[in-house]
């Protein structure tokens, strides 16, 4: 029926491997720019203040921002799918309030932690379900989640509740010595552990690759037969879980629960992710970039602390400025790619 | 014949799918055998994509049966269809541009070791698949977005080879490829056919269909016209089956030219003159002039490139080659706004998506273009609005004659009249009408055709696009024939029959 | 009656009326107004006065949302406006004079114009998604406000300035009159010109609007500028009411209240048709909700949880998918009944 096909000789393709590699390198460009920015800032700091150039100053960036690192990890998953989660700051506060209250009532710290993780993950799962099944913008759903979580904080207590329980205070004071008279807190190890797991999940599991695929082209991902719905719901559950973990880490750090805590922390998390090179439209970015984004935010604060004449509000202005620069960079990359 | 002896890979029987208000498919039978390239033919809206989507699990069927290798199947997700061995490559390449070639080939099926994706295995497997298709020159680690659409399509095919697809559906794969790229694609298709893959091929390019396909199924208006061997079906009879007129009827439809009116002889400057106009992935090298008071019809199958030409003239898409002169002076039409400032109007074929502002009233819709030209600050006074709206409601017989009705609640024909009126109030010098009579009742249709004649008699230039050749011939002074995304002929409508035009579209293959 | 119920404002108005009635039941003097020293007092006046900043911001937000956008930066603009005007008054040689107050107001409004132009530039010219574009100002803006106030709460004593938020004119609070004036201005601006229609056209069908020759860019610019100016006036009101600028807390979360008011009022977040009256009703509902919490003796802490539940309910009711589900649930008994009937026949 069909004539034997004659194999026509291969046409030479226009795209040479070398050029591909070059253009493929562009996907690391935003993240590399962030790394460069961080190194430059560190170098400037070292030039201005001799004590800046110390291992402990670097490690303190981690110690002071464990919770933000974990938040940024969860946010990276959400943003990679093209979504957004505004509830994270409020969920952090809720987690702190719940643990502080329950610890005050003499609960076992292990049970408290498990319960807090369940609440955070559950809230996230709920938001994911609403987003997916009712087709409402993530922005609005997570905004409602933010109201809900913050409102629950107020319901629990309007006052700050101190944490005096042994395990939490122990975690707050514990230092893990490193060679060279340096140390980190246990929270840092936990946060870095979570980053490692997230990296593995994003780059070495089908779930992680589906997250990227959804961000690249949700319709295609669906047509390729990938589990789009489940993945999108799970991403919000993960973000809720990360918020709960961040809440516990923040409790270790601040040893209290306060309903107004972590205000605007969702903005810091989003800023860290964007500055770390993740596209807000989804599909491109790295969880390690988000960590560098957190470090950049941290170093801005360190700078201001070292300077002494600069006031704390410069942090917000600088973060806003960095956000702007990176958003404009992203537009530029997007235009080039398109 | 082999096809009578063996079981088809896919057999669809008596398939029906309905959407609110439309029967997209109505009792359609379709079968596909191993080792054949089967072309699915029909105009836009004939039901081709609906049939494909039924087969790929995107749409659920209302009635009928689908069997794959003799086994009855019901697909409710694309995943289920893929699991049954059916793989699809869409025109807009449904892969993920942000991921690498190898990931796109294996996404969701990556080889794993203890839960972790085995990236070395992914690389090896991708190389194997690409080598099978003689596509070794593609770097598996490169980002998909760094490749041309043609290569992306080949990668999509590689994905279906990887999942060992028994059926490969190619939906308009060649629409944005150049000749070289098409040749490479066809080599791969033939290669797969020889490996007993059943291939369903959909294309608007007649010549390509004749080059690559063994058999074809023709659909029209959601119904099956028939199944034919490609070598037994002439281009001429294929076209008549697609548009639903048989040859005898066509011969009788011969008609006297509508009128001889416009003079486009020497000394007259055309209102608009396009030279070598084109856009990558759209149409190329269009030379077309339209004189004042002249109706030029664009004839050609749906999807041949008619709308694309209209959009270039109106600046809805930016041309990337060629030039346009308006009244003899070179112009760049960068956006609809510039086109409107140069007195060009455009009624899109897609009333709902590109015409109506559904939630606004007839009045607001009718004065929209005029208001947009004036700017937001200078509102057209209510009194003027009332006069204009009353005038056009009467002139075009728009019903209900209520300026404050929401336009989404009007019938299709009346919506179309409001959209026409939207342009007429601005007194354009060139009006582009893309399928102005599609989906509207016969009364409104005649009214619109008459209106076109009257407007031209008053000196307006009109570019008239319609799928109905009779209609094109009835209203046009000149007919430009489009085929395979290029303008192939211009015929003065002196003594032209539908058959003549169809012969040109068929490419004189008879 | 039925057609009245179908009116888009029907449900918000009913909700507001129900809330007011509830208050009336629990607090019999709720609706009563009394005159004291030539000023009107009463719970209703309080609701209007306290709700004024939210109404103002929600008016601007309505137009932004109608173009399929959103403005997250209004809270930051509130803070900047208050900070700029108070800082100016505090630093001026004549901190008590009306001229100083007028100049302060002018400074705040001009600052807001610039900020609105900035947002509009990012959205319309650069093409950044509205939520992201305004996020920049939301983050940096509060820092700028703190920069202006030096991180302190800047107190001023200027009677003219104080009258914006706390003064009375013709027996009514000035803030209510200002809000009414801005509402009137918005209504005239959108309905006396073609702006309203063009905003709706862009929001309903951007593709068709472009093909009709509409320059969406200018329209988008206007709505962001208007939103910022509304926020600035609200900021003046808030700071004037307490005669101080608090860069940290002024207008905190007010963007959320404003968005909520717009949505409750019946304007869809998907853009398109909008209703300014609905937005005002929506803002009243939110304000009355807070009052109700007090009246009913519910601890005020619960307000936010309450609001969250209201947002979720309203959004679910607006979501097409949820609507389909509801109508299917309503229709569901039918086939079931038919099935039952068939079974009976079979028996």
């Amino acid at each position: 029926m069909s004539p034997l096909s004659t194999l026509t000789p291969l046409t030479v393709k226009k795209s040479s491997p070398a050029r591909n590699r070059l253009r493929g390198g562009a996907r690391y460009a935003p993240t590399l720019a962030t790394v460069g920015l961080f190194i430059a800032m560190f170098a400037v700091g070292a030039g201005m203040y001799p004590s800046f150039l110390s291992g402990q100053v670097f490690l303190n960036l981690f110690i002071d921002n464990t919770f933000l690192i974990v938040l940024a990890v969860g946010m990276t998953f959400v943003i990679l799918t093209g979504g957004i989660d505004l509830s994270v700051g409020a969920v952090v506060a809720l987690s702190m309030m719940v643990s502080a209250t329950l610890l005050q009532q003499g609960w076992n710290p292990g049970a408290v932690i498990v319960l807090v993780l369940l609440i955070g993950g559950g809230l996230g799962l709920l938001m994911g379900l609403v987003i997916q099944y009712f087709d409402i913008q993530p922005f609005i759903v997570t905004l409602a989640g933010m109201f809900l979580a913050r409102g629950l904080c107020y319901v629990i207590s309007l006052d700050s509740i101190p944490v005096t329980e042994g395990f939490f205070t122990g975690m707050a004071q514990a230092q893990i010595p490193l060679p060279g008279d340096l140390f980190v807190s246990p929270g840092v190890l936990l946060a870095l552990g979570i980053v490692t797991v997230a990296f593995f999940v994003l780059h070495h599991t089908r779930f992680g690759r589906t997250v990227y695929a959804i961000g690249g082209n949700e319709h295609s991902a669906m047509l390729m037969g990938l589990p789009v719905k489940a993945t999108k719901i799970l991403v919000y559950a993960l973000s809720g879980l990360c918020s709960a973990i961040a809440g516990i880490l923040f409790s270790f750090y601040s040893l209290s629960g306060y309903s107004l805590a972590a205000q605007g922390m969702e903005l810091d998390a989003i800023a860290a992710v964007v500055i770390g090179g993740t596209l807000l439209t989804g599909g491109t970015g790295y969880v390690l970039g988000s960590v560098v984004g957190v470090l950049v935010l941290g170093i801005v604060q360190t700078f201001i602390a070292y300077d002494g004449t600069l006031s704390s509000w410069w942090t917000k202005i600088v973060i806003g400025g960095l956000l702007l620069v990176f958003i404009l960079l992203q537009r530029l990359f997007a235009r080039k790619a398109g | 014949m082999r096809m009578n002896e063996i079981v088809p890979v896919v057999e669809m029987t008596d398939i029906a799918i309905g959407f609110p208000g439309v029967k997209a498919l109505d009792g359609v039978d379709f079968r596909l055998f191993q080792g054949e390239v089967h072309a699915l033919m029909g105009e836009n809206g004939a039901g081709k994509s609906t049939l494909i989507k039924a087969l790929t699990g995107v749409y659920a069927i209302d009635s009928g049966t689908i069997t794959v290798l003799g086994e009855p199947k019901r697909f409710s997700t694309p995943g289920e269809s893929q699991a049954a061995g059916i793989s699809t490559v869409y025109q807009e390449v449904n892969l993920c541009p942000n991921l690498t070639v190898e990931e796109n080939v294996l996404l969701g099926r990556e080889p794993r070791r203890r839960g972790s994706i085995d990236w070395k295995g992914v690389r090896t497997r991708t190389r194997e698949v690409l080598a099978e298709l003689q596509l070794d020159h593609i770097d598996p680690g490169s980002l998909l977005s760094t490749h041309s659409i043609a290569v992306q399509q080949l990668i999509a095919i590689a994905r279906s080879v990887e999942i060992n697809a028994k059926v490969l559906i190619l939906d308009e794969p060649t629409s944005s490829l150049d000749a070289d790229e098409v040749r490479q694609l066809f080599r791969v298709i033939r290669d797969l056919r020889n490996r007993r893959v059943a291939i369903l091929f959909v294309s608007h390019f007649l010549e390509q269909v004749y080059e690559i396909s063994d058999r074809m199924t023709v659909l029209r208006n959601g119904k099956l016209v028939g199944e034919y061997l490609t070598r037994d079906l002439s281009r001429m009879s294929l076209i008549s089956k697609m548009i639903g007129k048989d040859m005898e009827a066509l011969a009788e439809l011969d008609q006297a030219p509508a009128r001889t009116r416009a003079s486009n002889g020497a000394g007259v400057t055309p209102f608009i003159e396009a030279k070598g106009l084109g856009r990558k992935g759209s149409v190329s090298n269009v030379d077309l002039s339209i004189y004042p008071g002249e109706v030029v019809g664009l004839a050609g199958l749906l999807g041949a490139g008619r709308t694309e030409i209209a959009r270039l003239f109106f600046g809805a898409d930016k041309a990337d080659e060629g030039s346009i002169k308006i009244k003899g002076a070179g112009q760049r039409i960068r956006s609809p706004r510039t086109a409107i400032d140069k007195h060009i109007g455009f009624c899109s074929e897609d009333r709902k998506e590109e015409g109506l502002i559904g939630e606004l009233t007839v009045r607001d819709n009718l004065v929209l273009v005029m208001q947009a030209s004036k700017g937001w600050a200078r509102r057209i006074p209510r009194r003027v609005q009332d006069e204009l709206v009353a005038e056009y409601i009467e002139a075009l017989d728009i019903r209900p004659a209520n300026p404050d009705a929401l336009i989404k609640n009007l019938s299709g024909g009346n919506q179309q009249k409001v959209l026409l009126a939207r342009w007429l109030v601005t007194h354009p010098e060139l009006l582009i009408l893309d399928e102005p009579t599609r989906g509207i009742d016969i009364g409104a249709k005649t009214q619109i055709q008459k209106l076109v004649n009257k407007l031209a008699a008053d000196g307006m230039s009109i570019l008239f696009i319609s799928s109905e050749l009779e209609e094109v011939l009835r209203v046009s002074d000149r007919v430009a024939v489009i085929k395979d995304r290029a303008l192939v002929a211009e015929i003065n409508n002196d003594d032209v029959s539908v058959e003549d035009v169809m012969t040109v579209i068929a490419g004189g293959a008879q | 009656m039925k057609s009245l119920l179908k009116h888009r404002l029907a449900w918000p108005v009913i909700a507001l009326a129900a809330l007011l009635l509830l208050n009336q039941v629990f607090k019999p003097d709720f609706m009563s107004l009394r005159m004291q020293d030539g000023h009107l007092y009463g719970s209703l006046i309080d609701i209007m006065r306290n709700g004024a900043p939210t109404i103002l911001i929600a008016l601007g937000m309505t137009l932004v949302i109608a173009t399929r956008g959103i403005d997250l930066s209004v809270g930051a603009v509130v803070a900047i406006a208050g900070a700029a005007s108070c800082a100016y008054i505090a630093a001026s040689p004549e901190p008590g004079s009306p001229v100083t107050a007028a100049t302060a107001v002018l400074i705040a409004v001009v600052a807001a114009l610039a900020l609105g132009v900035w947002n509009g530039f990012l959205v319309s010219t650069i093409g950044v998604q509205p939520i992201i574009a305004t996020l920049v100002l939301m983050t940096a803006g509060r820092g700028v406000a703190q920069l202006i106030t030096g991180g302190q709460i800047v107190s001023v004593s200027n009677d003219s300035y104080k009258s914006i938020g706390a003064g009375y004119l013709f027996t009514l609070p000035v803030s209510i009159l200002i809000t009414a004036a801005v509402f009137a201005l918005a209504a005239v601006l959108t309905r006396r010109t073609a702006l309203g229609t063009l905003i709706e056209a862009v929001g309903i069908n951007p593709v068709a609007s472009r093909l009709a020759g509409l320059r969406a860019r200018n329209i988008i610019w206007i709505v962001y500028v208007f939103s910022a100016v509304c926020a600035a006036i609200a900021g003046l009101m808030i700071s004037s009411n307490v005669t101080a600028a608090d860069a940290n807390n002024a207008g905190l979360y007010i963007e959320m209240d404003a968005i909520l008011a717009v949505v409750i009022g019946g304007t869809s977040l998907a853009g398109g048709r909008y209703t300014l009256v609905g937005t005002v009703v929506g803002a009243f509902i939110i304000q009355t909700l807070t009052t109700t919490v007090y009246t009913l003796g519910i601890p005020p802490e619960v307000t936010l949880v309450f609001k969250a539940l209201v947002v979720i309910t309203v959004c679910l009711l607006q979501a097409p998918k949820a609507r389909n589900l509801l109508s299917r649930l309503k229709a569901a008994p039918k086939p079931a009944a038919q099935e039952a009937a068939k079974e009976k026949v079979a028996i």
Side-chain angles (χ1 to χ4, degrees):
Chain A
M1 191 173 97
S2 57
L4 262 176
S5 75
T6 45
L7 294 181
T8 48
L10 270 177
T11 45
V12 181
K13 288 322 296 177
K14 289 161 226 156
S15 50
S16 71
R19 211 174 92 196
N20 281 341
R21 218 171 296 132
L22 202 71
R23 282 214 261 167
R27 63 191 136 139
Y28 302 112
T31 306
L32 287 178
T34 314
V35 173
L37 178 70
F38 176 75
I39 293 172
M41 287 171 92
F42 210 86
V44 169
M48 287 167 69
Y49 317 103
S51 61
F52 207 97
L53 188 64
S54 88
Q56 196 57 48
V57 169
F58 178 72
L59 290 178
N60 283 346
L61 291 178
F62 288 90
I63 295 172
D64 297 339
N65 291 296
T66 48
F67 43 91
L68 197 51
I69 291 176
V70 177
L71 273 192
V73 167
M75 190 66 81
T76 308
F77 276 87
V78 174
I79 292 183
L80 276 176
T81 64
I84 198 142
D85 187 352
L86 296 180
S87 72
V88 294
V91 175
V92 165
L94 180 62
S95 307
M96 292 171 71
M97 288 303 284
V98 169
S99 36
T101 316
L102 295 180
L103 289 172
Q104 209 177 32
Q105 292 171 7
W107 277 51
N108 173 296
V112 168
I113 291 175
V114 170
L115 184 71
V116 164
L117 296 187
L118 282 178
I119 293 175
L123 261 177
L125 182 68
L126 202 69
M127 290 189 284
L129 286 169
V130 173
I131 291 167
Q132 181 59 41
Y133 284 103
F134 292 101
D135 211 7
I136 307 178
Q137 293 162 321
F139 169 72
I140 290 300
V141 176
T142 57
L143 179 60
M146 166 177 161
F147 279 171
L148 189 65
R150 192 64 78 178
L152 289 174
C153 287
Y154 294 159
V155 172
I156 294 172
S157 169
L158 288 175
D159 303 319
S160 173
I161 303 169
V163 174
T164 50
E165 189 277 332
F167 175 71
F168 274 60
T169 49
M171 289 301 274
Q173 285 148 11
Q175 293 187 350
I176 296 166
L178 295 177
D181 255 358
L182 302 174
F183 68 90
V184 291
S185 65
V188 173
L189 296 189
L190 178 64
L192 292 182
I194 288 170
V195 170
T196 315
V197 171
F199 178 83
F200 176 80
V201 168
L202 278 177
H203 295 282
H204 295 280
T205 67
R206 287 187 186 169
F207 169 75
R209 299 326 289 169
T210 306
V211 167
Y212 277 92
I214 292 173
N217 188 334
E218 186 173 339
H219 186 64
S220 292
M222 195 264 290
L223 289 176
M224 283 175 166
L226 300 175
V228 171
K229 278 186 192 173
T231 306
K232 274 178 76 183
I233 294 168
L234 217 59
V235 156
Y236 289 92
L238 264 181
S239 177
L241 190 67
C242 282
S243 309
I245 298 173
I248 289 171
L249 286 174
F250 203 21
S251 295
F252 289 166
Y253 187 75
S254 67
L255 283 181
S256 68
Y258 182 38
S259 50
L260 288 175
Q263 286 220 27
M265 202 180 266
E266 59 278 347
L267 295 187
D268 288 343
I270 295 170
V273 171
V274 172
I275 291 172
T278 299
L279 286 187
L280 274 162
T281 42
T284 313
Y286 304 93
V287 69
L288 293 181
S290 301
V291 175
V292 183
V294 172
L295 294 183
V296 167
L297 298 191
I299 208 167
V300 171
Q301 268 164 342
T302 312
F303 241 102
I304 285 159
Y306 261 81
D307 182 275
T309 62
L310 286 172
S311 321
S312 65
W313 44 86
W314 279 105
T315 323
K316 284 178 189 150
I317 300 175
V318 172
I319 292 174
L322 286 176
L323 206 52
L324 176 69
V325 169
F326 279 85
I327 286 168
L328 293 181
L329 272 181
Q330 289 185 359
R331 287 294 302 170
L332 209 68
F333 280 118
R335 270 193 198 163
K336 267 190 186 165
Chain B
M1 293 290 294
R2 186 166 60 198
M3 66 182 71
N4 293 331
E5 298 157 8
I6 58 162
V7 188
V9 190
V10 171
E11 183 153 26
M12 303 172 82
T13 322
D14 203 20
I15 302 290
I17 292 186
F19 301 115
V22 214
K23 269 229 132 165
L25 282 182
D26 188 7
V28 171
D29 299 335
F30 174 75
R31 24 180 226 156
L32 185 64
F33 294 91
Q34 283 192 338
E36 73 165 344
V37 177
H38 190 132
L40 189 57
M41 301 301 291
E43 294 197 293
N44 283 354
K48 291 173 306 197
S49 8
T50 312
L51 188 78
I52 289 176
K53 284 180 174 158
L55 189 52
T56 52
V58 178
Y59 293 158
I61 52 174
D62 295 341
S63 66
T65 54
I66 301 177
T67 61
V68 176
L69 286 171
E71 243 183 82
K73 297 270 181 194
R74 253 202 128 77
F75 304 129
S76 50
T77 65
E80 289 171 27
S81 164
Q82 278 171 31
I86 298 169
S87 179
T88 315
V89 177
Y90 294 92
Q91 172 183 3
E92 65 276 21
V93 191
N94 284 113
L95 296 176
C96 293
N98 58 325
L99 300 178
T100 59
V101 169
E102 59 194 4
E103 284 191 78
N104 272 295
V105 171
L106 284 159
L107 207 54
R109 309 173 38 83
E110 300 93 343
R112 287 184 292 191
R113 259 195 319 212
R114 277 176 270 121
S116 160
I117 293 176
D118 170 17
W119 286 112
K120 264 194 188 156
V122 169
R123 177 66 52 101
T124 320
R125 180 76 192 116
T126 307
R127 280 203 202 288
E128 279 169 25
V129 177
L130 290 176
E132 264 183 71
L133 296 173
Q134 304 180 37
L135 299 170
D136 328 54
H137 56 285
I138 299 173
D139 173 10
S142 56
L143 270 189
L144 185 80
S145 58
T146 60
H147 295 284
S148 65
I149 294 289
V151 174
Q152 293 188 19
Q153 238 148 18
L154 295 171
I155 293 163
I157 293 177
R159 179 176 168 86
S160 42
V161 168
E162 202 285 329
I163 66 178
N164 233 333
K166 293 189 278 284
V167 175
L168 176 60
I169 302 173
L170 296 164
D171 187 4
E172 288 285 350
T174 56
S175 50
S176 37
L177 308 194
D178 64 30
D180 247 11
E181 292 167 336
V182 171
R183 220 179 311 135
Q184 176 157 352
L185 176 72
F186 280 10
R187 176 186 60 70
V188 171
I189 292 178
R190 291 198 182 96
D191 199 21
L192 289 173
R193 170 173 64 190
N194 293 345
R195 295 203 264 138
R196 319 271 312 131
V197 176
I199 294 159
L200 177 56
F201 182 80
V202 179
S203 172
H204 279 118
F205 296 91
L206 285 189
E207 295 311 320
Q208 292 178 3
V209 170
Y210 274 91
E211 184 185 341
I212 195 80
S213 76
D214 306 305
R215 230 149 40 97
M216 44 178 88
T217 292
V218 181
L219 299 179
R220 189 176 65 240
N221 296 333
K223 294 208 170 71
L224 177 70
V225 178
E227 185 195 271
Y228 313 91
L229 283 175
T230 305
R231 60 167 181 256
D232 293 348
L233 190 68
S234 71
R235 286 162 173 76
M236 201 60 187
S237 27
L238 171 64
I239 292 169
S240 65
K241 285 183 197 311
M242 282 167 65
I243 62 176
K245 303 271 187 294
D246 57 34
M247 301 313 287
E248 293 77 19
L250 284 177
E252 288 164 17
L253 261 172
D254 253 334
Q255 50 166 32
R259 40 175 215 283
T260 35
R261 186 190 50 225
S263 63
N264 46 11
V268 182
T269 320
F271 172 75
I272 192 164
E273 186 179 5
K275 278 249 181 308
L277 203 64
R279 177 182 161 86
K280 177 117 180 73
S282 177
V283 287
S284 56
N285 205 18
V286 175
D287 293 338
L288 187 63
S289 304
I290 308 171
Y291 290 82
E294 185 188 36
V295 181
V296 173
L298 278 190
L301 296 173
L302 262 172
R306 306 176 321 200
T307 299
E308 286 78 355
I309 292 177
R311 289 179 65 89
L312 289 185
F313 269 51
F314 187 62
D317 296 327
K318 245 190 262 180
D320 50 21
E321 57 190 36
S323 64
I324 284 186
K325 273 188 195 167
I326 291 176
K327 294 180 176 167
Q331 302 282 1
R332 289 184 59 88
I333 299 182
R334 265 175 268 108
S335 68
R337 185 66 256 156
T338 25
I340 293 168
D341 290 342
K342 308 212 181 307
H343 306 283
I344 301 175
F346 170 59
C347 264
S348 165
E349 59 168 343
D350 192 342
R351 271 202 299 274
K352 190 158 168 280
E353 297 296 324
E354 301 188 343
L356 304 174
I357 312 286
E359 315 275 311
L360 292 187
T361 60
V362 167
R363 175 206 312 276
D364 289 336
N365 271 283
L366 204 148
V367 299
L368 185 66
V369 173
M370 194 187 225
Q371 184 66 65
S373 301
K374 279 181 173 281
W376 65 269
R378 291 163 52 218
R379 177 166 175 268
I380 303 166
R382 182 65 176 227
R383 188 180 40 79
V384 179
Q385 287 192 20
D386 284 340
E387 280 168 15
L388 279 175
V389 173
E391 180 190 341
Y392 279 92
I393 283 182
E394 200 199 326
L396 301 184
D397 191 23
I398 294 169
R399 290 178 216 181
N402 171 13
D404 295 312
L406 291 189
I407 196 168
K408 66 175 177 184
N409 296 333
L410 268 58
S411 73
N414 285 300
Q415 289 177 344
Q416 187 65 52
K417 288 182 198 165
V418 174
L419 294 183
L420 268 170
R422 174 190 283 180
W423 291 107
L424 297 182
V425 295
T426 65
H427 302 291
E429 292 183 65
L430 167 64
L431 186 55
I432 304 169
L433 301 174
D434 193 358
E435 297 279 5
T437 63
R438 184 201 281 168
I440 68 181
D441 65 78
I442 187 78
K445 196 167 179 166
T446 326
Q447 285 173 328
I448 287 174
Q449 290 173 1
K450 278 193 191 139
L451 179 70
V452 168
N453 277 329
K454 183 177 164 296
L455 292 171
D458 293 346
M460 196 182 286
S461 305
I462 289 172
L463 184 61
F464 189 91
I465 304 176
S466 169
S467 305
E468 282 182 55
L469 284 177
E470 295 90 338
E471 186 179 50
V472 173
L473 291 175
R474 206 171 305 132
V475 301
S476 315
D477 301 305
R478 207 147 43 90
V479 177
V481 182
I482 317 288
K483 183 191 178 186
D484 296 358
R485 308 267 166 161
L487 209 146
V488 290
E490 258 183 69
I491 315 165
N492 273 319
N493 192 3
D494 294 330
D495 192 13
V496 186
S497 67
V498 170
E499 202 183 347
D500 296 337
V501 176
M502 281 176 45
T503 315
V504 177
I505 295 176
Q510 303 264 304
Chain C
M1 186 66 200
K2 241 188 177 173
S3 64
L4 215 62
L5 269 180
K6 271 196 179 156
H7 193 276
R8 53 203 306 217
L9 286 180
W11 289 110
V13 168
I14 289 171
L16 180 59
L19 270 177
L20 291 174
L21 266 177
L22 191 70
N23 280 289
Q24 177 70 26
V25 169
F26 280 82
K27 196 178 158 199
D29 65 340
F30 180 74
M31 301 269 189
S32 70
L33 299 174
R34 68 206 146 74
M35 194 68 105
Q36 196 180 323
D37 308 335
H39 299 165
L40 264 183
Y41 286 99
S43 302
L44 291 181
I45 299 287
D46 286 345
I47 290 176
M48 284 204 262
R49 199 175 64 175
N50 295 336
T54 313
I55 296 175
L56 277 176
I57 293 177
L59 286 175
M61 191 70 79
T62 308
L63 298 187
V64 172
I65 286 179
T67 63
R68 297 190 173 189
I70 200 144
D71 187 353
L72 294 183
S73 70
V74 284
V77 176
V78 163
I80 292 177
S85 55
C86 287
Y88 173 77
I89 294 175
S92 88
E94 281 179 84
S97 93
V99 179
T100 310
T103 317
V105 169
L106 195 69
I107 288 174
V109 172
V110 169
L113 283 176
L115 296 173
V117 166
W118 166 253
N119 279 335
F121 168 75
L122 285 184
V123 174
S124 69
T125 309
I126 308 287
V128 183
Q129 296 159 274
I131 171 172
I132 306 307
T134 53
L135 183 67
V136 172
L137 191 51
M138 184 188 188
T139 313
R142 209 161 272 283
V144 170
Q146 287 167 333
L147 177 69
I148 295 170
T149 61
Q152 310 292 318
I153 292 182
V154 178
S155 298
V156 295
S157 89
N158 180 315
D159 288 340
S160 315
Y161 189 71
K162 191 178 176 182
S163 67
I164 300 174
Y168 277 80
L169 193 66
F170 312 128
T171 75
L172 282 172
V174 174
S175 55
I176 295 181
L177 296 175
I178 292 178
T179 309
V182 173
F183 174 78
L185 178 80
V188 168
L189 187 69
T190 51
R191 292 302 168 206
R192 285 283 130 189
T193 70
L195 191 59
T197 313
L198 298 189
I199 286 174
E200 291 189 330
V202 169
I204 295 167
N205 192 340
V207 178
S209 299
R210 173 171 175 263
L211 290 181
L214 228 167
R215 285 198 185 93
R217 190 172 286 189
N218 298 347
I219 306 278
I220 286 171
W221 226 310
I222 290 169
V223 297
Y224 282 96
V225 169
F226 180 69
S227 171
V229 171
C230 283
I233 299 174
L236 290 171
M237 229 176 244
I238 291 170
S239 75
S240 137
N241 197 26
V242 295
T243 58
D246 178 355
N248 282 319
N249 295 311
L252 200 63
Y253 293 123
I254 205 166
E255 58 277 350
M256 307 306 173
D257 276 351
I259 294 168
L260 195 55
V262 174
V263 174
I264 292 179
T267 299
S268 159
L269 275 171
R273 290 302 287 268
Y274 66 86
T275 150
L276 293 176
V277 177
T279 296
V280 173
V281 174
F284 278 142
I285 291 178
I286 293 174
Q287 196 57 46
T288 313
L289 208 64
T290 314
T291 313
T292 312
V293 168
Y294 284 106
T295 317
L296 295 185
I298 302 172
E301 305 86 86
V302 185
T303 320
L304 213 50
V305 178
F306 228 71
K307 272 190 201 165
L309 296 178
V310 173
V311 190
I312 294 168
T313 319
V314 170
C315 286
L316 283 182
L317 287 178
Q318 277 194 359
K321 273 205 177 172
R323 282 192 180 175
N324 288 346
L325 205 69
L326 267 177
S327 57
R328 231 181 292 155
L329 280 178
K330 273 188 201 158
K334 259 196 210 157
Q338 281 169 354
E339 287 289 329
K342 264 186 209 163
E343 272 176 22
K344 271 182 198 159
V345 172
I347 292 163

